[in-house]
Structures are given as C-alpha cells and as structure tokens.
Amino acid sequence: MTPLLRLAHVSKRFAPHVGITDRLAAWLGAPVETRTVYAVDDVSLTIGKGEVLGLVGESGCGKSTLARIVAGIHAPSSGEALYDGMAVMSSARQPVKTLTKIQMIFQDPFASLDPRLRIGETIAEGPLAHRLVTRAGAPDYVRDWLAAVGLPGDAAERFPHQFSGGQRQRVAIARALAMKPDLLVCDEPIASLDVSIQAQIVNLFLKLKRELSLAMLFISHDLGVVRHISDRVAIMYLGRIVESGPTPEIYRSPRHPYTKALLDSVPKLTVDGTDVVSFKPIEGELPSPLNPPSGCHFHLRCTFAQPRCKVDAPRLDHASQAVACHYPL
C-alpha cells in the first residue's frame, strides 16, 4: 500500500545570511565565517492513512524543521517529500498550491492566530479561499467546527486575546480541521499549556483520530503523551532518525542507547514498601548542529560507544523496529 506521506533521504541545511558588514569585511580581505547549520540529515520515514507517528527528541534536534518540510513551509535541501505520491514542493521550490490536505498546528496558539481577525474569520479564511464553503454557508460551517473541538458557537465573534491558552489551541485545531485534511502536522501542540489543559487537548486529538481517521505527525518531547497517542514512534537525534517502530515495542525494549536513555530519564514512581521517584538524566550536552560530531552523532554521550562509532555513521536498518546503531541493545 502506498503510504500517505513518504520522506526519502530528506536533508535541510541553513546557510548563514551574509550581511553588508560581512561583505565589507570580505572585500577588505578579512576572514568571514560562514558555517552551515545541519538541521535535518538524511531522514526517511512514512506515515500511513489514519496512522499517528510520534516524533520524539531533545530540543534542537530538528523536529520542528522536519515538520515544516512536511507541511511545505521549508523546501528540503536534498531528498523529497511526497504526499500521496505528489511532491509537497514543486520544482520551483514553492509549496504546491493545490495541496491543502496537509495542515499544521503550531506550538504557540497565540502567535499562530492573527490578533486582528475574529475567530470566525480565522477559521473561514482558508475554506473560503479554496472554495470548500460558500460565503453564505461559512457561519454555520465555522460553528460546526467550533463544536467539534468543544467551543461554543458564539466564540466565532471573539478575538484570540479573549481566550485562554487551551481555548486558543482548540481554535487552531478547528482552523486546521476546517480545511478537511488527511494529515495533521502537530508541532508540540501541548508544550505551552498547563498540565490539566494538556490532558484535554490530548483527549481531543484521540477523539479526532477515532472519528475522522486522521493521520498525524505528532511531535513532542513528552514521552508519556507520545506513548498514549501514537501508533508508531520515531526517535530523532541531531537531525537523524536513530530508531523507529511500533509504539509498544519501542517502549518495551528500546534498541538504540539514546532511546533507552530518553526512557530512563522519565521520572518513575516505584511502590515497594515506600514510594520512590527515580530517574537518570542523559549525560552530556546535545552537540551543536553547526559542528556535528563525525560518525554516530550520539557517540560522545553513549556509554556503549566503540572506536568504530567515531568514524562510521550507522544507517537505519529495515527491521520492523529499525535502529541506526552499530551495537544495538
């Protein structure tokens, strides 16, 4: 079966902007440092119809950049992103205008909503532009989607600043759903919310997944939420996918040392006579994408690293629980 989304060897590099000062320095013969940021490095993955893929990794590992490539906001530097067999980006490195079936929900709902537009205008703008609804039918259309995310119909007349953080995120979800997508790209959609509100939004995503059969790329650093909502999980480290597979298998027996370190770093409550909270933080710092380590990117922090890991970058194998490690657990 052809997957709904396929990323094939996608990489994204950001070259620093060379300003007037740098140009003047170069003209005078002074050295100008122009290091490249390797945000995403040779990533291949698929998402099937109705499937939720959780993408997990530390901050700065390239998750948001990958999400923007999937949504057509960034063009990959190399490789290709295909939605239902069609390139997300055209040959001119422009988003395909007819591709409306991928919608994105951003981390900060206040920053992603136009403060000058009423909520009803925000939700109706996309469907009207793509002729999914008539102008006469737009008010009822908006109220239906507001009801779908648990908001009253009169919310359409209010502005974003009149809502709480959780309500604004529901508005952002309604705006995405109003385009009738097949794939939602959720970039840390609950990270900026209180814990009690997070639970409501996660339950809303589960309801939408069940009722609408939506496929999702769900990005989060919260391993508990990812375990609860995802069918499969991909673990990302410094721009590379180091392990992927069915959620139960990843959590039950991780094969990559980084995956195991992530799971070990989650606080646990053990009841054995007394209540004990224990966790083991990952040692070391995430290297800079400006100067990534040679070989396996994780070898500087890995307790199982061997000399080969320093020079030879492992490739993701093709097992059901794929891992990119020379010495998997």
Side-chain angles (χ1 to χ4, degrees):
M1 181 181 296
T2 303
L4 188 65
L5 176 77
R6 179 188 294 276
L7 301 184
H9 304 289
V10 167
S11 296
K12 182 62 179 177
R13 297 176 291 276
F14 292 99
H17 176 70
V18 179
I20 296 176
T21 304
D22 294 327
R23 293 178 185 273
L24 180 60
W27 183 75
L28 294 173
V32 178
E33 188 177 19
T34 57
R35 293 186 296 174
T36 300
V37 177
Y38 295 86
V40 177
D41 185 10
D42 194 25
V43 168
S44 296
L45 56 82
T46 61
I47 301 177
K49 294 181 180 180
E51 181 183 44
V52 178
L53 175 67
L55 185 62
V56 178
E58 294 172 281
S59 297
C61 72
K63 303 187 302 296
S64 293
T65 301
L66 188 63
R68 283 161 170 76
I69 291 173
V70 172
I73 298 173
H74 291 330
S77 301
S78 60
E80 60 181 2
L82 301 175
Y83 168 80
D84 203 16
M86 180 173 60
V88 174
M89 282 282 177
S90 68
S91 57
R93 294 299 198 190
Q94 296 295 322
V96 179
K97 293 182 179 179
T98 58
L99 189 60
T100 61
K101 293 298 185 179
I102 301 176
Q103 294 296 312
M104 187 164 180
I105 300 170
F106 297 89
Q107 178 175 344
D108 186 352
F110 194 76
S112 65
L113 298 175
D114 191 332
R116 299 167 298 179
L117 293 182
R118 298 180 188 274
I119 295 306
E121 297 173 294
T122 296
I123 296 174
E125 184 178 26
L128 285 172
H130 292 276
R131 299 180 181 178
L132 298 179
V133 65
T134 63
R135 192 162 295 277
D140 289 338
Y141 190 77
V142 168
R143 281 192 290 270
D144 288 343
W145 283 115
L146 286 172
V149 298
L151 290 175
D154 60 4
E157 301 302 319
R158 289 186 269 169
F159 291 93
H161 72 271
Q162 296 176 283
F163 293 89
S164 66
Q167 289 173 323
R168 284 196 292 265
Q169 195 62 289
R170 290 174 183 267
V171 170
I173 295 170
R175 177 179 61 179
L177 293 176
M179 292 299 296
K180 297 183 178 179
D182 293 326
L183 173 64
L184 277 184
V185 181
C186 308
D187 185 14
E188 305 253 14
I190 61 172
S192 61
L193 306 178
D194 293 337
V195 175
S196 59
I197 305 300
Q198 287 183 5
Q200 296 176 19
I201 299 300
V202 169
N203 288 333
L204 175 59
F205 277 120
L206 289 171
K207 175 175 176 285
L208 295 172
K209 172 189 173 184
R210 182 175 61 253
E211 295 180 356
L212 303 178
S213 298
L214 279 173
M216 298 185 201
L217 175 62
F218 192 90
I219 298 172
S220 179
H221 60 268
D222 190 323
L223 291 168
V225 170
V226 170
R227 184 176 192 172
H228 190 56
I229 199 173
S230 302
D231 301 305
R232 287 191 303 120
V233 177
I235 309 297
M236 196 169 188
Y237 184 79
L238 204 61
R240 296 176 179 173
I241 300 296
V242 297
E243 185 170 2
S244 66
T247 301
E249 294 182 17
I250 293 289
Y251 280 79
R252 183 174 60 248
S253 66
R255 298 181 65 201
H256 197 283
Y258 178 61
T259 308
K260 186 177 187 307
L262 280 178
L263 294 174
D264 288 344
S265 67
V266 177
K268 300 176 180 64
L269 180 65
T270 303
V271 180
D272 187 13
T274 58
D275 293 340
V276 178
V277 178
S278 63
F279 72 98
K280 182 181 179 182
I282 304 176
E283 298 180 359
E285 297 289 337
L286 184 73
S288 171
L290 283 168
N291 186 26
S294 60
C296 175
H297 285 171
F298 189 61
H299 80 264
L300 296 175
R301 306 169 70 185
C302 181
T303 57
F304 304 96
Q306 302 293 326
R308 179 187 178 188
C309 303
K310 300 178 182 180
V311 296
D312 186 9
R315 296 288 182 179
L316 202 66
D317 60 29
H318 299 289
S320 60
Q321 185 175 345
V323 63
C325 183
H326 296 307
Y327 307 100
L329 303 178

